[in-house]
Amino acid sequence: MEEQNTSQEMDSLATQVVPSTSNKGKRKSNPQGKSSKQPAAKQKRVSTPGKNSEAMILPDIKAIMEEVTARLQVQNELSAFLKKKITELDKDKRVQIGVFGETGAGKSSLINAIIDEENLLPSSDECTSACTSVIIKVEASVDDKYQALIEFLKTEEWNDELWYLLQSAGDKNNEETADDDDDDDDDDDSNDYIENKLSALYGEEWKKNSFKDLTEKKCFSDIHELLKSGTKTFTCKTAMDLSGKLTPYTMNSPLPSQSKTRKGKRYYWPIVKCVTVKVPNKDLLQHVTLVDLPGSGDCNKSRDEMWKRIVGDCCVVWIVTEIKRAASKETAWKILSRVSRFIGNGGECQLICFICSKSDTTGISHGRLPGEVHKLIVNRNTQAKEQVKQKIKNKKKPFSDNCFEVFTVSSREFLQKEHLDPEETEIPKLQRLLKNLNNLHSETKNYVSGAFTILSLIQDAKHKKAGDKNENVCAELKNTLGCKYEQIKKEIEEVYKTFEKCLSKGVENSKKEDENKLKKLLDKEDGRGFHRTLKSVVEGGGVHKTRKEINFNVELASCLTNSIDEKFSKIFPCASWSDTIRINPAVTYKPFNGSISAFSLGTDLLTTEYKDLKLQLDFLKMEEEKIKEKLNETIRIEKKMIYNSLLETIETKMKECYEEAAKCGGNGKLQDMKTIIKSHVRSNKEMYEEAKNAMLEKVDALKRTILEDLENAMTESIEFSLRTDNNSLPDVSEELERVTKHHDELLSSQH
């Protein structure tokens, strides 16, 4: 325990928010997010509910600002500007944590333990034969009920997938007696996946009925109704009740040959697109959504697009694997490999947590004293953590060293406390990470601070006359803005040149490696197993998905993406979007080499010289932070589109080829498909140059957006804050007094 408690690596999370572990296992019911720096103040407010409660502050301040907005003159530029600034205060952000892991790894138990709901998400104990494609979001409820919203595929989306599954199953049945030299593991996985999916929904009836029967027969009317309805909602008083209702929509279903419990049950997860579970009274989920995700995309286009979008939006990723052979078992590492392009340069992940679950399991506790078992568990967990860390060092590309953390957790021990203290289960450390994320996006602090600054500016301007001093400061600020504008412009243009140089090399390598890639993708023995795989590839636009993925487009674009991966990750570092949630405070990366984050008009220095303009300069400082936040948000979104444009261009250029190959039939169709693909790639080498140009165009467009937004926003703020028409402004002294009181309360509680 002493070794574990003194380890800097193990305590890096703990020191950020809650230096003490006295609050482990406790939960609070206040629905408003709270700052991690104010545990004492929170306790005080909870004991005296009412006007001092943070839950009451935000609605009160918003009501005050609505009153002020109504009093600002409509036909007035300054009033319109102030109204816009008041409107911009009202924003509520959510962040997503993606949770990955194979069936049985303990994802559901982990989520249940972290949010203190032991019976919320169904576990996979009943059946572990296949992995469901259902995406499950867990977030806070606005009332005291447990709710679940199930979103289904559209009828046409399921019918397209059903037709594909039946065709694939039919091909396999027709050829199962044939001599097949291409009997690889992916083919077996594909067959199990298809059979499990169809049997879950239709039982054995899918083998006896045609596509038309399955989509029209009255005996499947419940399926048709769900597809038609689009959604289904459950509302329950307890987590256990909700869990029971969700089971048919989220649980893996065993193959008929593997379970006697399958008979007579209908599992609807094959037609479920997403499930959103809302849990009451959870501060940890106020601004955070936990998303239980499959380890890869889906053959259904609609579900696959949702999977890509959610994974790309995750700022933190948890990869859950059993502690037994955590470093050597390949499943977790394959998941990381599959999702890396979506969460790395093509996403916004700031932190990857390898979570070794079931850390209390030793297998040798029988007959030993509790102290001996405790020592065995702690020592084994330390060794497992070091082994995983060592493997990460060899597999970190394209992520930086600071993007990884390793945890050894036990959900069972956290709840039962048999051999380990709660802190030793490391569940509290993950809870503190969620608290950090919530505090980062706390509405109350940001809104109250902004409201105080705006009202102070209005009241000060009401009783002052604009003079030469204002004009001088305005001119000085505009001059500084112009200089900073040119610095940022120069930095982005240097980035453009860097990408252009890297991509030119990538284009050259792509043309050289064409034949090797075609050989790797297509030159396999002409067994019927590969025929089915290639048919699936061309019908899927270059992608074949079951549990594994074969992606021709990714392979063809690989020289381009490889050419920029290292530079891209430094120019658009994932660790830069939010300093507050960093585990390692040494991380200093910022987008465009920190040029956006370094932007400043020097208002602090000007305040010392022009003390009577302090409120105006404080307002401009607030506007600086807002525009930097907005620009970082723009960069965060656009950088994903920039990186992904390389693959998207290749996909577009190859689309015609795949469509033509999909039409091939007859005895020679396998060779015909190969010929069409090879011929198309060899005659369309310009697609690599087009992909390069498309990406560079997006970089240039981002430059224009950044510079225009920066110049327009700050110029407007400078002019209106320093050149005011005081006669047009209302007296807001009473409103300012009320807001100041709340503002001081929050500052006091933080200290």
Side-chain angles (χ1 to χ4, degrees):
M1 288 176 61
E2 290 177 358
E3 179 182 352
Q4 194 173 31
N5 289 335
T6 57
S7 169
Q8 292 181 352
E9 296 163 341
M10 298 286 284
D11 290 338
S12 57
L13 267 175
T15 58
Q16 283 205 19
V17 182
V18 186
S20 168
T21 61
S22 61
N23 66 335
K24 56 195 175 188
K26 296 181 181 180
R27 307 291 184 273
K28 296 182 174 56
S29 59
N30 193 330
Q32 295 295 333
K34 300 180 179 67
S35 171
S36 59
K37 300 178 182 179
Q38 48 176 311
K42 277 196 290 187
Q43 290 290 340
K44 183 177 180 180
R45 284 198 300 272
V46 170
S47 63
T48 57
K51 64 179 181 180
N52 291 326
S53 170
E54 190 169 318
M56 299 297 294
I57 290 178
L58 186 59
D60 189 24
I61 300 295
K62 286 187 176 183
I64 291 172
M65 299 311 288
E66 286 178 5
E67 294 173 8
V68 173
T69 301
R71 294 171 59 196
L72 290 168
Q73 295 181 16
V74 178
Q75 303 300 326
N76 181 283
E77 288 186 356
L78 176 58
S79 294
F81 169 76
L82 291 169
K83 285 182 177 181
K84 183 177 74 171
K85 294 304 170 184
I86 293 172
T87 302
E88 289 173 356
L89 294 175
D90 198 1
K91 54 186 178 181
D92 181 21
K93 291 186 178 180
R94 298 196 65 83
V95 294
Q96 293 185 149
I97 296 179
V99 186
F100 296 90
E102 66 178 322
T103 302
K107 290 188 297 178
S108 298
S109 298
L110 174 66
I111 293 173
N112 289 345
I114 285 175
I115 63 173
D116 196 22
E117 291 288 354
E118 187 174 359
N119 301 308
L120 181 64
L121 297 184
S123 70
S124 57
D125 295 337
E126 180 182 344
C127 45
T128 58
S129 62
C131 188
T132 179
S133 294
V134 175
I135 297 169
I136 304 177
K137 299 179 181 180
V138 182
E139 55 191 44
S141 174
V142 295
D143 53 33
D144 60 352
K145 302 291 185 182
Y146 292 84
Q147 299 174 327
L149 174 65
I150 304 173
E151 182 181 353
F152 297 99
L153 296 171
K154 296 178 180 178
T155 300
E156 55 271 24
E157 291 172 344
W158 172 244
N159 286 349
D160 288 344
E161 182 179 353
L162 177 60
W163 184 88
Y164 166 76
L165 294 173
L166 292 173
Q167 289 290 110
S168 301
D171 286 346
K172 174 60 180 174
N173 292 333
N174 292 334
E175 298 165 0
E176 61 184 0
T177 59
D179 184 18
D180 190 347
D181 295 326
D182 189 45
D183 185 22
D184 60 340
D185 293 337
D186 182 63
D187 197 40
D188 293 336
D189 284 342
S190 176
N191 297 331
D192 288 345
Y193 173 84
I194 291 170
E195 182 179 353
N196 188 66
K197 206 166 199 180
L198 292 172
S199 297
L201 198 57
Y202 300 105
E204 293 293 288
E205 294 300 311
W206 70 270
K207 298 178 181 179
K208 307 172 187 176
N209 288 271
S210 66
F211 170 79
K212 184 177 180 180
D213 292 335
L214 293 175
T215 56
E216 294 181 4
K217 271 192 173 182
K218 289 184 178 181
C219 58
F220 304 119
S221 60
D222 55 332
I223 300 173
H224 306 156
E225 286 300 317
L226 291 175
L227 292 169
K228 185 178 179 180
S229 67
T231 60
K232 188 177 183 68
T233 303
F234 292 116
T235 301
C236 302
K237 293 182 178 180
T238 68
M240 184 175 291
D241 289 344
L242 185 63
S243 178
K245 291 182 180 296
L246 285 178
T247 297
Y249 302 91
T250 60
M251 284 287 291
N252 299 329
S253 49
L255 292 171
S257 59
Q258 294 175 315
S259 175
K260 295 180 180 180
T261 63
R262 172 67 183 85
K263 188 175 182 180
K265 289 187 177 181
R266 177 108 64 202
Y267 292 84
Y268 295 103
W269 63 261
I271 61 172
V272 173
K273 187 175 181 180
C274 179
V275 177
T276 301
V277 178
K278 294 182 179 291
V279 191
N281 305 320
K282 299 298 173 188
D283 285 353
L284 291 178
L285 300 178
Q286 189 60 35
H287 300 285
V288 175
T289 298
L290 295 171
V291 191
D292 186 345
L293 288 155
S296 62
D298 195 270
C299 63
N300 182 281
K301 183 177 180 180
S302 177
R303 241 185 332 243
D304 190 56
E305 288 300 320
M306 174 178 278
W307 183 88
K308 289 178 182 177
R309 184 173 65 254
I310 292 174
V311 173
D313 289 343
C314 289
C315 72
V316 178
V317 164
W318 294 352
I319 298 179
V320 185
T321 183
E322 288 190 56
I323 195 167
K324 185 178 180 181
R325 298 188 296 115
S328 60
K329 195 172 183 180
E330 286 300 313
T331 305
W333 306 103
K334 287 179 179 178
I335 290 174
L336 177 60
S337 177
R338 284 197 294 265
V339 304
S340 61
R341 66 186 171 96
F342 300 105
I343 66 175
N345 287 338
E348 56 185 88
C349 181
Q350 302 165 49
L351 177 67
I352 300 171
C353 299
F354 260 85
I355 300 176
C356 305
S357 63
K358 305 179 182 179
S359 67
D360 61 300
T361 305
T362 62
I364 52 175
S365 59
H366 182 69
R368 293 181 181 270
L369 295 174
E372 292 180 297
V373 176
H374 173 270
K375 186 175 180 180
L376 284 170
I377 293 174
V378 171
N379 289 341
R380 192 276 312 276
N381 292 352
T382 302
Q383 292 175 6
K385 184 173 291 191
E386 290 305 316
Q387 290 170 357
V388 172
K389 286 182 177 180
Q390 187 59 43
K391 188 155 186 175
I392 286 173
K393 289 182 180 179
N394 301 325
K395 289 181 173 285
K396 63 186 180 183
K397 188 179 178 181
F399 306 98
S400 67
D401 294 338
N402 303 298
C403 285
F404 290 93
E405 282 290 322
V406 183
F407 299 83
T408 52
V409 306
S410 172
S411 304
R412 188 183 70 86
E413 277 291 323
F414 178 71
L415 297 170
Q416 298 182 5
K417 305 176 181 63
E418 183 178 354
H419 297 297
L420 300 174
D421 291 334
E423 193 69 24
E424 290 177 303
T425 69
E426 302 207 339
I427 295 290
K429 292 188 177 181
L430 292 171
Q431 291 174 328
R432 288 194 285 274
L433 172 60
L434 265 64
K435 288 181 181 179
N436 266 346
L437 290 166
N438 272 297
N439 293 332
L440 171 66
H441 296 284
S442 175
E443 243 189 314
T444 304
K445 175 187 172 184
N446 296 332
Y447 194 99
V448 173
S449 177
F452 172 77
T453 303
I454 292 172
L455 291 179
S456 298
L457 175 68
I458 294 174
Q459 191 61 17
D460 184 71
K462 175 70 177 175
H463 298 91
K464 278 186 179 180
K465 292 184 178 181
D468 293 339
K469 189 180 294 186
N470 294 49
E471 295 295 328
N472 293 338
V473 173
C474 184
E476 188 172 346
L477 288 168
K478 285 189 174 182
N479 182 62
T480 302
L481 175 61
C483 293
K484 298 294 183 180
Y485 176 100
E486 291 300 323
Q487 290 175 10
I488 294 172
K489 180 182 178 182
K490 182 179 179 181
E491 182 59 46
I492 300 176
E493 287 173 349
E494 287 299 317
V495 166
Y496 183 98
K497 293 176 183 178
T498 299
F499 283 155
E500 186 175 32
K501 182 178 179 180
C502 292
L503 288 170
S504 295
K505 188 67 175 177
V507 170
E508 182 182 342
N509 291 338
S510 295
K511 293 177 179 179
K512 288 180 180 178
E513 294 296 320
D514 260 354
E515 292 302 318
N516 290 334
K517 293 184 183 302
L518 289 172
K519 184 176 181 180
K520 176 183 177 181
L521 294 170
L522 298 173
D523 286 2
K524 298 184 180 182
E525 295 185 18
D526 291 348
R528 287 187 175 125
F530 182 59
H531 150 70
R532 289 193 302 274
T533 300
L534 187 56
K535 185 71 171 176
S536 173
V537 167
V538 297
E539 289 178 342
V543 184
H544 168 64
K545 286 185 177 179
T546 52
R547 292 192 195 181
K548 299 180 181 179
E549 177 180 286
I550 299 173
N551 195 319
F552 281 24
N553 304 314
V554 169
E555 187 66 32
L556 291 171
S558 60
C559 287
L560 290 170
T561 54
N562 290 343
S563 72
I564 63 163
D565 273 343
E566 184 177 352
K567 293 290 185 183
F568 197 96
S569 63
K570 291 180 179 179
I571 293 166
F572 298 111
C574 289
S576 67
W577 309 128
S578 176
D579 300 350
T580 309
I581 76 161
R582 292 190 196 138
I583 303 307
N584 189 339
V587 178
T588 56
Y589 287 141
K590 301 287 184 179
F592 291 114
N593 298 319
S595 59
I596 304 296
S597 300
F599 170 77
S600 173
L601 295 176
T603 52
D604 288 337
L605 289 175
L606 287 173
T607 300
T608 61
E609 183 177 353
Y610 301 100
K611 294 182 180 179
D612 55 339
L613 296 178
K614 183 180 184 304
L615 292 175
Q616 286 89 337
L617 294 171
D618 283 348
F619 172 79
L620 287 175
K621 186 175 181 179
M622 181 184 76
E623 291 299 292
E624 283 179 12
E625 295 305 315
K626 284 169 60 179
I627 190 59
K628 288 193 286 188
E629 182 181 352
K630 178 184 176 182
L631 293 179
N632 273 339
E633 177 75 6
T634 299
I635 295 169
R636 180 185 66 80
I637 295 171
E638 292 298 322
K639 78 103 174 181
K640 293 187 285 186
M641 299 176 67
I642 289 171
Y643 185 82
N644 292 329
S645 67
L646 293 173
L647 178 59
E648 289 170 358
T649 301
I650 300 300
E651 289 173 340
T652 300
K653 297 298 292 185
M654 291 294 294
K655 182 180 179 182
E656 181 182 351
C657 158
Y658 297 135
E659 291 175 348
E660 183 181 356
K663 297 176 183 177
C664 292
N667 293 332
K669 58 185 175 183
L670 177 57
Q671 190 58 44
D672 291 343
M673 287 190 290
K674 290 183 178 182
T675 301
I676 290 171
I677 294 172
K678 289 179 179 179
S679 175
H680 184 86
V681 172
R682 289 166 181 164
S683 61
N684 285 273
K685 292 183 181 291
E686 75 280 356
M687 66 180 174
Y688 304 117
E689 189 72 30
E690 290 182 25
K692 165 194 162 183
N693 293 334
M695 176 176 164
L696 292 176
E697 286 174 8
K698 288 185 179 296
V699 174
D700 194 54
L702 177 58
K703 180 192 76 172
R704 294 194 301 271
T705 298
I706 289 172
L707 295 175
E708 288 174 7
D709 287 354
L710 177 65
E711 184 177 35
N712 293 339
M714 294 313 301
T715 299
E716 182 183 50
S717 295
I718 290 170
E719 291 179 349
F720 279 115
S721 62
L722 292 168
R723 296 178 179 174
T724 60
D725 177 10
N726 53 40
N727 293 325
S728 67
L729 296 175
D731 185 294
V732 294
S733 55
E734 292 185 9
E735 289 86 351
L736 179 58
E737 182 180 354
R738 291 160 62 190
V739 171
T740 301
K741 182 178 179 181
H742 288 314
H743 184 256
D744 291 344
E745 285 176 5
L746 289 176
L747 286 178
S748 175
S749 66
Q750 287 169 12
H751 293 304

mmCIF file of all heavy atoms in Angstrom, residues 133-137 149-153 230 232 249-250 271-276 291 303 306 310:
data_model
loop_
_atom_site.group_PDB
_atom_site.id
_atom_site.type_symbol
_atom_site.label_atom_id
_atom_site.label_comp_id
_atom_site.label_asym_id
_atom_site.label_seq_id
_atom_site.Cartn_x
_atom_site.Cartn_y
_atom_site.Cartn_z
ATOM 1 N N SER A 133 -23.720 -4.763 -31.529
ATOM 2 C CA SER A 133 -23.348 -3.509 -32.185
ATOM 3 C C SER A 133 -24.037 -2.315 -31.555
ATOM 4 O O SER A 133 -23.964 -1.219 -32.083
ATOM 5 C CB SER A 133 -23.718 -3.578 -33.676
ATOM 6 O OG SER A 133 -22.951 -4.544 -34.335
ATOM 7 N N VAL A 134 -24.700 -2.500 -30.443
ATOM 8 C CA VAL A 134 -25.469 -1.423 -29.832
ATOM 9 C C VAL A 134 -24.552 -0.427 -29.131
ATOM 10 O O VAL A 134 -23.660 -0.803 -28.376
ATOM 11 C CB VAL A 134 -26.486 -1.984 -28.820
ATOM 12 C CG1 VAL A 134 -27.201 -0.857 -28.089
ATOM 13 C CG2 VAL A 134 -27.494 -2.863 -29.524
ATOM 14 N N ILE A 135 -24.767 0.838 -29.401
ATOM 15 C CA ILE A 135 -24.082 1.932 -28.711
ATOM 16 C C ILE A 135 -24.954 2.359 -27.535
ATOM 17 O O ILE A 135 -26.136 2.653 -27.704
ATOM 18 C CB ILE A 135 -23.858 3.116 -29.661
ATOM 19 C CG1 ILE A 135 -22.947 2.701 -30.822
ATOM 20 C CG2 ILE A 135 -23.281 4.312 -28.920
ATOM 21 C CD1 ILE A 135 -22.884 3.729 -31.943
ATOM 22 N N ILE A 136 -24.382 2.392 -26.330
ATOM 23 C CA ILE A 136 -25.138 2.760 -25.128
ATOM 24 C C ILE A 136 -24.525 4.014 -24.511
ATOM 25 O O ILE A 136 -23.366 4.016 -24.101
ATOM 26 C CB ILE A 136 -25.153 1.628 -24.085
ATOM 27 C CG1 ILE A 136 -25.710 0.342 -24.694
ATOM 28 C CG2 ILE A 136 -25.966 2.040 -22.869
ATOM 29 C CD1 ILE A 136 -25.694 -0.841 -23.756
ATOM 30 N N LYS A 137 -25.321 5.087 -24.459
ATOM 31 C CA LYS A 137 -24.889 6.331 -23.818
ATOM 32 C C LYS A 137 -25.487 6.398 -22.417
ATOM 33 O O LYS A 137 -26.668 6.110 -22.228
ATOM 34 C CB LYS A 137 -25.359 7.544 -24.616
ATOM 35 C CG LYS A 137 -24.819 7.628 -26.026
ATOM 36 C CD LYS A 137 -25.370 8.875 -26.721
ATOM 37 C CE LYS A 137 -24.874 8.997 -28.142
ATOM 38 N NZ LYS A 137 -25.412 10.219 -28.805
ATOM 39 N N LEU A 149 -33.938 5.854 -23.796
ATOM 40 C CA LEU A 149 -34.465 6.134 -25.127
ATOM 41 C C LEU A 149 -33.751 5.214 -26.104
ATOM 42 O O LEU A 149 -32.532 5.286 -26.252
ATOM 43 C CB LEU A 149 -34.241 7.596 -25.511
ATOM 44 C CG LEU A 149 -34.629 7.967 -26.948
ATOM 45 C CD1 LEU A 149 -36.133 7.821 -27.150
ATOM 46 C CD2 LEU A 149 -34.177 9.384 -27.283
ATOM 47 N N ILE A 150 -34.503 4.345 -26.761
ATOM 48 C CA ILE A 150 -33.936 3.411 -27.728
ATOM 49 C C ILE A 150 -34.235 3.925 -29.125
ATOM 50 O O ILE A 150 -35.390 4.172 -29.478
ATOM 51 C CB ILE A 150 -34.532 2.002 -27.543
ATOM 52 C CG1 ILE A 150 -34.312 1.519 -26.112
ATOM 53 C CG2 ILE A 150 -33.902 1.024 -28.534
ATOM 54 C CD1 ILE A 150 -35.022 0.215 -25.789
ATOM 55 N N GLU A 151 -33.199 4.111 -29.906
ATOM 56 C CA GLU A 151 -33.339 4.577 -31.284
ATOM 57 C C GLU A 151 -33.119 3.396 -32.224
ATOM 58 O O GLU A 151 -32.083 2.725 -32.149
ATOM 59 C CB GLU A 151 -32.318 5.675 -31.580
ATOM 60 C CG GLU A 151 -32.429 6.254 -32.972
ATOM 61 C CD GLU A 151 -31.391 7.324 -33.259
ATOM 62 O OE1 GLU A 151 -30.670 7.713 -32.316
ATOM 63 O OE2 GLU A 151 -31.292 7.760 -34.427
ATOM 64 N N PHE A 152 -34.094 3.155 -33.092
ATOM 65 C CA PHE A 152 -34.013 2.017 -34.015
ATOM 66 C C PHE A 152 -33.578 2.474 -35.400
ATOM 67 O O PHE A 152 -33.679 3.655 -35.759
ATOM 68 C CB PHE A 152 -35.373 1.315 -34.114
ATOM 69 C CG PHE A 152 -35.843 0.719 -32.825
ATOM 70 C CD1 PHE A 152 -36.761 1.390 -32.019
ATOM 71 C CD2 PHE A 152 -35.370 -0.511 -32.396
ATOM 72 C CE1 PHE A 152 -37.201 0.851 -30.822
ATOM 73 C CE2 PHE A 152 -35.800 -1.062 -31.200
ATOM 74 C CZ PHE A 152 -36.719 -0.381 -30.410
ATOM 75 N N LEU A 153 -33.085 1.512 -36.163
ATOM 76 C CA LEU A 153 -32.798 1.780 -37.564
ATOM 77 C C LEU A 153 -34.097 2.085 -38.300
ATOM 78 O O LEU A 153 -35.181 1.691 -37.856
ATOM 79 C CB LEU A 153 -32.137 0.559 -38.209
ATOM 80 C CG LEU A 153 -30.767 0.138 -37.674
ATOM 81 C CD1 LEU A 153 -30.378 -1.207 -38.280
ATOM 82 C CD2 LEU A 153 -29.719 1.187 -37.990
ATOM 83 N N GLY A 230 -39.428 4.097 -34.860
ATOM 84 C CA GLY A 230 -38.179 4.849 -34.787
ATOM 85 C C GLY A 230 -37.564 4.891 -33.410
ATOM 86 O O GLY A 230 -36.347 4.798 -33.265
ATOM 87 N N LYS A 232 -38.260 4.049 -28.877
ATOM 88 C CA LYS A 232 -39.042 3.472 -27.786
ATOM 89 C C LYS A 232 -38.461 3.993 -26.479
ATOM 90 O O LYS A 232 -37.240 4.062 -26.324
ATOM 91 C CB LYS A 232 -38.979 1.937 -27.818
ATOM 92 C CG LYS A 232 -39.917 1.252 -26.823
ATOM 93 C CD LYS A 232 -39.836 -0.252 -26.983
ATOM 94 C CE LYS A 232 -40.816 -0.969 -26.056
ATOM 95 N NZ LYS A 232 -42.219 -0.724 -26.431
ATOM 96 N N TYR A 249 -32.847 -5.449 -25.769
ATOM 97 C CA TYR A 249 -32.408 -4.445 -26.741
ATOM 98 C C TYR A 249 -30.899 -4.203 -26.717
ATOM 99 O O TYR A 249 -30.366 -3.556 -27.617
ATOM 100 C CB TYR A 249 -33.124 -3.121 -26.481
ATOM 101 C CG TYR A 249 -34.626 -3.241 -26.537
ATOM 102 C CD1 TYR A 249 -35.366 -3.526 -25.395
ATOM 103 C CD2 TYR A 249 -35.297 -3.101 -27.747
ATOM 104 C CE1 TYR A 249 -36.746 -3.645 -25.449
ATOM 105 C CE2 TYR A 249 -36.684 -3.223 -27.809
ATOM 106 C CZ TYR A 249 -37.397 -3.504 -26.661
ATOM 107 O OH TYR A 249 -38.762 -3.635 -26.722
ATOM 108 N N THR A 250 -30.229 -4.718 -25.688
ATOM 109 C CA THR A 250 -28.792 -4.448 -25.549
ATOM 110 C C THR A 250 -27.937 -5.685 -25.379
ATOM 111 O O THR A 250 -26.741 -5.644 -25.650
ATOM 112 C CB THR A 250 -28.541 -3.536 -24.329
ATOM 113 O OG1 THR A 250 -29.009 -4.193 -23.138
ATOM 114 C CG2 THR A 250 -29.248 -2.200 -24.483
ATOM 115 N N ILE A 271 -31.542 -4.469 -34.627
ATOM 116 C CA ILE A 271 -32.198 -3.324 -35.266
ATOM 117 C C ILE A 271 -32.092 -2.052 -34.425
ATOM 118 O O ILE A 271 -32.672 -1.025 -34.759
ATOM 119 C CB ILE A 271 -33.688 -3.618 -35.560
ATOM 120 C CG1 ILE A 271 -34.463 -3.906 -34.271
ATOM 121 C CG2 ILE A 271 -33.831 -4.758 -36.551
ATOM 122 C CD1 ILE A 271 -35.970 -4.002 -34.477
ATOM 123 N N VAL A 272 -31.334 -2.119 -33.318
ATOM 124 C CA VAL A 272 -31.136 -0.950 -32.462
ATOM 125 C C VAL A 272 -29.933 -0.163 -32.958
ATOM 126 O O VAL A 272 -28.869 -0.720 -33.216
ATOM 127 C CB VAL A 272 -30.920 -1.367 -30.995
ATOM 128 C CG1 VAL A 272 -30.547 -0.155 -30.143
ATOM 129 C CG2 VAL A 272 -32.177 -2.023 -30.445
ATOM 130 N N LYS A 273 -30.113 1.125 -33.091
ATOM 131 C CA LYS A 273 -29.029 2.007 -33.523
ATOM 132 C C LYS A 273 -28.268 2.557 -32.325
ATOM 133 O O LYS A 273 -27.038 2.601 -32.319
ATOM 134 C CB LYS A 273 -29.603 3.160 -34.353
ATOM 135 C CG LYS A 273 -28.564 4.057 -34.998
ATOM 136 C CD LYS A 273 -29.243 5.084 -35.899
ATOM 137 C CE LYS A 273 -28.237 5.991 -36.584
ATOM 138 N NZ LYS A 273 -28.903 6.991 -37.457
ATOM 139 N N CYS A 274 -28.989 2.975 -31.296
ATOM 140 C CA CYS A 274 -28.357 3.584 -30.128
ATOM 141 C C CYS A 274 -29.335 3.558 -28.956
ATOM 142 O O CYS A 274 -30.548 3.663 -29.158
ATOM 143 C CB CYS A 274 -27.945 5.021 -30.446
ATOM 144 S SG CYS A 274 -27.174 5.910 -29.078
ATOM 145 N N VAL A 275 -28.800 3.409 -27.749
ATOM 146 C CA VAL A 275 -29.601 3.479 -26.526
ATOM 147 C C VAL A 275 -29.021 4.571 -25.634
ATOM 148 O O VAL A 275 -27.817 4.586 -25.361
ATOM 149 C CB VAL A 275 -29.599 2.137 -25.764
ATOM 150 C CG1 VAL A 275 -30.380 2.271 -24.453
ATOM 151 C CG2 VAL A 275 -30.179 1.026 -26.616
ATOM 152 N N THR A 276 -29.874 5.499 -25.187
ATOM 153 C CA THR A 276 -29.447 6.556 -24.266
ATOM 154 C C THR A 276 -30.101 6.310 -22.916
ATOM 155 O O THR A 276 -31.333 6.319 -22.808
ATOM 156 C CB THR A 276 -29.827 7.951 -24.782
ATOM 157 O OG1 THR A 276 -29.211 8.162 -26.059
ATOM 158 C CG2 THR A 276 -29.353 9.031 -23.824
ATOM 159 N N VAL A 291 -20.019 6.492 -22.956
ATOM 160 C CA VAL A 291 -20.554 5.787 -24.120
ATOM 161 C C VAL A 291 -19.910 4.414 -24.221
ATOM 162 O O VAL A 291 -18.701 4.296 -24.458
ATOM 163 C CB VAL A 291 -20.307 6.576 -25.423
ATOM 164 C CG1 VAL A 291 -21.106 5.948 -26.560
ATOM 165 C CG2 VAL A 291 -20.689 8.040 -25.262
ATOM 166 N N ARG A 303 -25.508 2.824 -38.705
ATOM 167 C CA ARG A 303 -24.859 2.580 -37.418
ATOM 168 C C ARG A 303 -23.367 2.881 -37.489
ATOM 169 O O ARG A 303 -22.769 3.371 -36.534
ATOM 170 C CB ARG A 303 -25.096 1.127 -36.994
ATOM 171 C CG ARG A 303 -25.858 1.013 -35.691
ATOM 172 C CD ARG A 303 -25.993 -0.393 -35.182
ATOM 173 N NE ARG A 303 -25.991 -1.430 -36.158
ATOM 174 C CZ ARG A 303 -27.005 -2.260 -36.402
ATOM 175 N NH1 ARG A 303 -28.134 -2.105 -35.740
ATOM 176 N NH2 ARG A 303 -26.916 -3.226 -37.273
ATOM 177 N N MET A 306 -22.761 6.621 -37.254
ATOM 178 C CA MET A 306 -22.934 7.083 -35.879
ATOM 179 C C MET A 306 -21.721 6.688 -35.037
ATOM 180 O O MET A 306 -21.215 7.500 -34.243
ATOM 181 C CB MET A 306 -24.208 6.504 -35.263
ATOM 182 C CG MET A 306 -24.368 6.824 -33.781
ATOM 183 S SD MET A 306 -25.896 6.211 -33.057
ATOM 184 C CE MET A 306 -27.031 7.509 -33.543
ATOM 185 N N ILE A 310 -19.349 9.406 -33.085
ATOM 186 C CA ILE A 310 -19.207 9.402 -31.625
ATOM 187 C C ILE A 310 -17.758 9.171 -31.230
ATOM 188 O O ILE A 310 -17.215 9.870 -30.362
ATOM 189 C CB ILE A 310 -20.120 8.335 -30.996
ATOM 190 C CG1 ILE A 310 -21.587 8.735 -31.163
ATOM 191 C CG2 ILE A 310 -19.797 8.141 -29.521
ATOM 192 C CD1 ILE A 310 -22.568 7.686 -30.700
#
